Amino acid sequence: MSPLLRVRDLCVDFSTADGTVRAVDRVSLDVMPGRMLGIVGESGSGKSALWLGVLGLLSHNGRVSAGTAHYLDTDLLAASETARAQLRGKDVAMIFQDPVAALNPIRRIGKQIAEAIRVHENVSAATARQRTLQTLKDVGIRNPDLVAQQYPHELSGGMCQRVMIGMAIACRPKLLVADEPSTALDVTIQAQIINLLSELKVRLGMAIVLITHDLGVIAAAADEVAVMYSGRLVERSETVALFGKPAHPYTKALLDALPQPGARDRRLGSIPGQIPGASERLPGCRFEPRCAQAIPRCAVEEPVAHLDADGRFSLCHLAGALPAEAPR
């Protein structure tokens, strides 16, 4: 099966008052049809910047400085802004972190979803309205006629998130990028949103990229996991394999900090220090100052990407045996 999206050696730079900083550094990954890829890592690891760069949604001071990104046969980085705009929403859609801020506060919910449909498809206003109501039903909203007439401020955070998901899937995209879709929600609503994404993946056959810092969400929903640290991809694996036996010390440290059901006497792990700033570039492994397993080589030599016998990717001197140019 061919990847729906292929990203190779992607770099994202931002211009700041202190000079140019690199937020994403040589990241390579594939997104396969009908599967959910979880992207995890601490704040500042480059998770969101990677996908904003791929989709051409970076702020004015950001740019993709190197690498390639292909959606099927389309070169996303070489395509014109018009071509990318036509692709976004129809074939590739994104759910942003703050649904209330992403929705237009002075337009009714139904008008916003209908507009997304009519921008990409040549349908009448009546057809767009009918599809809007069906889309609201698809994302679990029980009173679509009422909600379509409401404004964003009249809805709860969970309802706004469902509306954003509905707007994203209204044109039945093949790839959905969900950036922290459940961060500001309580645990019950969070579970409902993640279950909804999993259901849509199966029912509509979409590929989903789920960006989050919550490993519990990843464990429940993702088929594969990509772990990022300080702008680099440090591990990629099937979800079950990663949680069963992490290959990178950073992944292991993240899992050690995750509460375990029933383990009341277990002390949660913690990672000392903090993630390096985007302008900091260490000569060796970027995780070395915080790594409990570091050896002298880690401080002076940048690790080389490796694949193990099962195809698991890891960027660590102590993991893997087979060198690789990119994860597969």
Side-chain angles (χ1 to χ4, degrees):
M1 183 182 297
S2 299
L4 193 63
L5 179 72
R6 292 173 56 89
V7 177
R8 291 293 177 268
D9 297 321
L10 196 82
C11 296
V12 175
D13 293 345
F14 287 91
S15 299
T16 72
D18 297 323
T20 300
V21 298
R22 177 151 293 178
V24 178
D25 190 11
R26 293 165 287 164
V27 169
S28 298
L29 49 76
D30 294 336
V31 179
M32 305 303 293
R35 288 172 66 82
M36 185 182 294
L37 170 65
I39 309 289
V40 298
E42 295 169 89
S43 297
S45 60
K47 305 185 301 297
S48 297
L50 167 64
W51 294 99
L52 292 174
V54 168
L55 299 180
L57 295 173
L58 291 167
S59 57
H60 70 280
N61 65 327
R63 67 185 182 94
V64 175
S65 57
T68 61
H70 287 84
Y71 172 78
L72 296 177
D73 294 329
T74 301
D75 186 337
L76 295 177
L77 304 184
S80 66
E81 179 53 35
T82 300
R84 283 201 299 263
Q86 291 175 344
L87 190 72
R88 291 193 299 260
K90 181 173 176 57
D91 295 306
V92 181
M94 186 165 184
I95 304 169
F96 297 95
Q97 289 190 25
D98 186 349
V100 177
L103 291 168
N104 189 328
I106 62 172
R107 299 198 67 196
R108 298 182 192 273
I109 295 299
K111 293 288 187 182
Q112 296 189 55
I113 298 178
E115 180 183 36
I117 295 171
R118 298 195 71 187
V119 162
H120 294 286
E121 299 185 22
N122 185 24
V123 297
S124 66
T127 299
R129 173 172 171 74
Q130 183 180 16
R131 284 181 52 182
T132 295
L133 297 179
Q134 182 58 52
T135 296
L136 291 173
K137 290 179 183 178
D138 289 343
V139 295
I141 292 177
R142 296 181 180 178
N143 302 306
D145 291 282
L146 174 62
V147 171
Q149 294 302 311
Q150 292 181 307
Y151 292 94
H153 73 271
E154 298 179 281
L155 304 180
S156 67
M159 289 286 280
C160 283
Q161 192 61 278
R162 288 178 182 270
V163 169
M164 283 299 300
I165 294 173
M167 192 179 300
I169 69 168
C171 295
R172 298 299 187 264
K174 296 181 177 67
L175 173 61
L176 177 65
V177 179
D179 190 359
E180 300 280 9
S182 58
T183 296
L185 308 177
D186 63 53
V187 175
T188 302
I189 303 302
Q190 181 184 80
Q192 292 176 3
I193 295 300
I194 297 304
N195 289 339
L196 173 60
L197 290 175
S198 298
E199 177 193 340
L200 292 171
K201 181 194 73 170
V202 174
R203 177 151 51 91
L204 303 180
M206 289 189 303
I208 297 179
V209 175
L210 177 61
I211 305 170
T212 181
H213 62 273
D214 192 330
L215 284 167
V217 168
I218 292 295
D223 300 298
E224 303 171 76
V225 187
V227 182
M228 291 189 65
Y229 183 80
S230 187
R232 299 298 308 273
L233 181 67
V234 297
E235 181 168 358
R236 175 166 174 168
S237 170
E238 295 288 318
T239 303
V240 173
L242 181 134
F243 277 81
K245 188 179 180 182
H248 195 282
Y250 178 57
T251 308
K252 184 179 185 303
L254 291 176
L255 294 178
D256 286 344
L258 191 66
Q260 300 296 327
R264 296 184 179 181
D265 298 329
R266 174 179 173 269
R267 186 178 180 85
L268 294 180
S270 62
I271 307 176
Q274 60 186 8
I275 194 168
S279 59
E280 296 180 60
R281 282 296 170 258
L282 304 177
C285 174
R286 296 178 188 178
F287 186 57
E288 183 271 338
R290 309 173 71 189
C291 182
Q293 302 177 37
I295 58 177
R297 179 184 180 192
C298 299
V300 296
E301 184 179 335
E302 187 173 341
V304 178
H306 288 82
L307 289 176
D308 66 14
D310 296 322
R312 171 186 286 189
F313 168 85
S314 181
L315 190 68
C316 179
H317 291 304
L318 304 177
L322 302 176
E325 293 183 358
R328 295 179 176 85

